[in-house]
Amino acid sequence: MKTLLTGGAGYIGSHTAVALLEAGHDVAIIDNFANSSPEAVKRVELITGRQVSLYEADCADKDRMMEILGKEQPDCIIHFAGLKAVGESVELPVEYYRNNIDSTLTLLECMKASGISRFVFSSSATVYGEDNTPPFTEDMPKGVCTNPYGWTKWMQEQILTDAQLAGCREKGGWKAPLSVVLLRYFNPVGAHESGLIGEDPQGIPNNLMPYISQVAVGRRDHLTVFGDDYDTPDGTCRRDYIHVMDLAEGHVKAAEYALGHEGAEVFNLGTGSPYSVLGMVEAFSRACGHQIPYEIGPRRAGDVQDSWADAGKAKRILGWEAKRGIDEICRDAWNWQSHNPKGYE
């Protein structure tokens, strides 16, 4: 199977590339390097001993996308490309709607014209909103999102579902029935055990784990915990933190499933075990061997109190479940950061 990864040089994309290559599949990557580095792809090749076709391009550039799809003719596309920071999306809503939705619409148009009909989408647990109570299951209705990032995922899921339904009709214009797999994953963290690839956000990190890592390695002097007055045991938000390699292996299973599947299917990818922000700080302190300095700040706009998965459907249908625990997550994240204190620079 040849799989094209949009945003494949990014954090989750690069780890998924490793998992696909190690499973014997071929990989091509498209990335505009807005928040990633071509060095990540070189290291993917170093880890796997396999070659990757790499294209610098923006998914919203229709002519360029048609050119690449025509050359590669992938069996399946996994769509990672997009802006992804909850807090930033509250400050930059127009940029998030334009970038994330335009890229998906353009990609679908190019797939339709190129005769490609297998699509795996990088969605998010944010689509459950505040209306549902965890653990979240796929049969719950999508909720009211608390931030523009979540709404872009909500809308893209709807676009893909509608496209799939249209693709089943003769007037839809698709050369083969469209297969759409929507992966709602929770909080990806950790790094490849080699320490060669990991999370390397440009600028100030918007997510917890890279910020903790940068504090631990001395790039930043302390962590700000956004709120300690939530209705949780220690007052901080709780999340389902999943090792990025577990998540990557879930994408392999999803792409393989899409090859023999018609329709639109949703899967949660998570562990089902929530950890609080302060719990993660404590776990990372054990991994790096010293305390992580932090201070308590006000709540951050767009955050929900609790979010964790019921991933039973992925286990039943895809044969996938998370295997790595919180200690492995922190160990691998620290291994990456301590050997790459400035990321890919």
Side-chain angles (χ1 to χ4, degrees):
M1 175 178 67
K2 178 183 284 188
T3 306
L4 177 68
L5 311 182
T6 70
Y11 174 45
I12 302 171
S14 59
H15 288 79
T16 299
V18 168
L20 284 163
L21 291 164
E22 290 183 338
H25 302 301
D26 295 322
V27 170
I29 286 174
I30 296 172
D31 207 297
N32 66 0
F33 304 119
N35 193 30
S36 60
S37 169
E39 177 63 25
V41 180
K42 295 178 183 177
R43 297 193 186 187
V44 166
E45 294 177 327
L46 181 61
I47 291 168
T48 62
R50 299 277 307 280
Q51 187 172 0
V52 173
S53 298
L54 176 61
Y55 300 89
E56 183 173 0
D58 192 305
C59 290
D61 183 339
K62 189 170 185 178
D63 290 340
R64 183 75 169 125
M65 290 301 297
M66 286 298 298
E67 175 188 346
I68 295 169
L69 294 183
K71 181 176 180 180
E72 292 293 333
Q73 283 295 305
D75 301 298
C76 180
I77 292 176
I78 303 180
H79 185 34
F80 294 108
L83 301 174
K84 64 176 186 176
V86 168
E88 183 182 63
S89 76
V90 176
E91 301 297 326
L92 302 171
V94 174
E95 288 82 353
Y96 269 69
Y97 286 117
R98 171 68 72 185
N99 181 84
N100 291 4
I101 294 173
D102 273 9
S103 64
T104 296
L105 290 171
T106 301
L107 187 56
L108 279 171
E109 290 172 347
C110 293
M111 287 176 62
K112 183 177 179 179
S114 302
I116 301 163
S117 59
R118 300 292 181 258
F119 195 105
V120 177
F121 178 58
S122 167
S123 191
S124 168
T126 58
V127 302
Y128 290 112
E130 292 186 307
D131 306 311
N132 296 296
T133 301
F136 298 133
T137 59
E138 294 88 347
D139 58 359
M140 288 177 171
K142 290 189 293 184
V144 176
C145 297
T146 60
N147 55 79
Y149 164 75
W151 279 118
T152 68
K153 294 297 186 182
W154 198 106
M155 293 174 186
Q156 286 173 96
E157 282 197 9
Q158 192 63 49
I159 290 166
L160 289 164
T161 301
D162 290 344
Q164 195 285 320
L165 289 172
C168 294
R169 304 187 183 104
E170 184 177 351
K171 291 184 179 179
W174 290 83
K175 297 177 183 178
L178 186 61
S179 174
V180 172
V181 180
L182 307 172
L183 296 181
R184 293 176 183 166
Y185 40 83
F186 286 69
N187 287 70
V189 286
H192 190 267
E193 62 181 6
S194 67
L196 290 173
I197 58 173
E199 190 166 11
D200 181 29
Q202 296 184 11
I204 299 173
N206 287 291
N207 296 322
L208 177 64
M209 183 61 87
Y211 210 112
I212 292 177
S213 300
Q214 291 186 12
V215 171
V217 83
R219 284 179 62 179
R220 305 192 184 278
D221 58 8
H222 72 279
L223 168 74
T224 298
V225 176
F226 296 112
D228 66 347
D229 57 349
Y230 289 94
D231 186 18
T232 62
D234 64 13
T236 63
C237 294
R238 294 182 292 185
R239 297 289 183 267
D240 189 337
Y241 295 99
I242 178 172
H243 196 294
V244 68
M245 284 309 300
D246 280 331
L247 191 67
E249 290 160 7
H251 284 76
V252 177
K253 293 289 188 181
E256 292 171 345
Y257 175 76
L259 287 184
H261 167 260
E262 294 179 7
E265 200 74 62
V266 180
F267 294 100
N268 287 336
L269 297 185
T271 69
S273 298
Y275 280 83
S276 71
V277 172
L278 291 181
M280 287 298 291
V281 171
E282 180 182 346
F284 203 93
S285 295
R286 292 196 302 269
C288 71
H290 59 268
Q291 292 299 308
I292 305 296
Y294 67 89
E295 63 180 31
I296 303 298
R299 293 187 182 193
R300 182 173 59 178
D303 280 344
V304 296
Q305 175 178 289
D306 288 322
S307 177
W308 65 87
D310 179 331
K313 182 180 178 181
K315 183 176 181 179
R316 291 192 306 272
I317 297 177
L318 300 180
W320 172 92
E321 63 180 330
K323 300 175 182 177
R324 300 162 178 89
I326 203 71
D327 290 333
E328 290 168 287
I329 284 170
C330 293
R331 177 201 67 196
D332 292 342
W334 177 238
N335 185 38
W336 151 255
Q337 195 70 75
S338 60
H339 289 92
N340 303 270
K342 294 185 178 181
Y344 289 113
E345 287 185 13

